[in-house]
Amino acid sequence: EWRVILTYKLSFYFGLSHFFSGVVAEEAKKRGQAVCFYQAAVDRLAEAWKSAEKISSDRTAMFKDVHQFSSDVLN
């Protein structure tokens, strides 16, 4: 189960890094590049949640709140 949690965290943090790369690109007025980074962030977050669904149900609640907040921010 620790591998699944590690996969979740890795995908989640990659999603955050894509999001902030998009913010930097947007500030540099590179709109197309920013959109690509934002889409990559959303895709990574969806990938992270697929990993989180494999975690036992008693531990999933912890990840669900974080995922919901992050999804709201990214979308």
Side-chain angles (χ1 to χ4, degrees):
E1 187 168 291
W2 63 270
R3 289 181 185 171
V4 176
I5 293 172
L6 184 62
T7 302
Y8 169 80
K9 287 182 178 183
L10 185 64
S11 295
F12 180 79
Y13 289 125
F14 272 133
L16 288 180
S17 68
H18 286 309
F19 174 74
F20 286 110
S21 295
V23 170
V24 169
E26 190 172 357
E27 289 174 355
K29 306 229 185 295
K30 297 179 179 179
R31 307 280 187 230
Q33 190 176 18
V35 170
C36 290
F37 278 123
Y38 290 146
Q39 185 59 49
V42 170
D43 293 344
R44 281 295 193 159
L45 202 58
E47 182 182 316
W49 187 245
K50 286 180 187 175
S51 296
E53 288 176 336
K54 297 176 186 174
I55 301 170
S56 61
S57 61
D58 59 329
R59 298 183 80 186
T60 304
M62 174 176 57
F63 296 109
K64 189 173 184 176
D65 294 335
V66 172
H67 180 78
Q68 184 61 43
F69 176 76
S70 301
S71 293
D72 291 344
V73 170
L74 293 181
N75 290 323

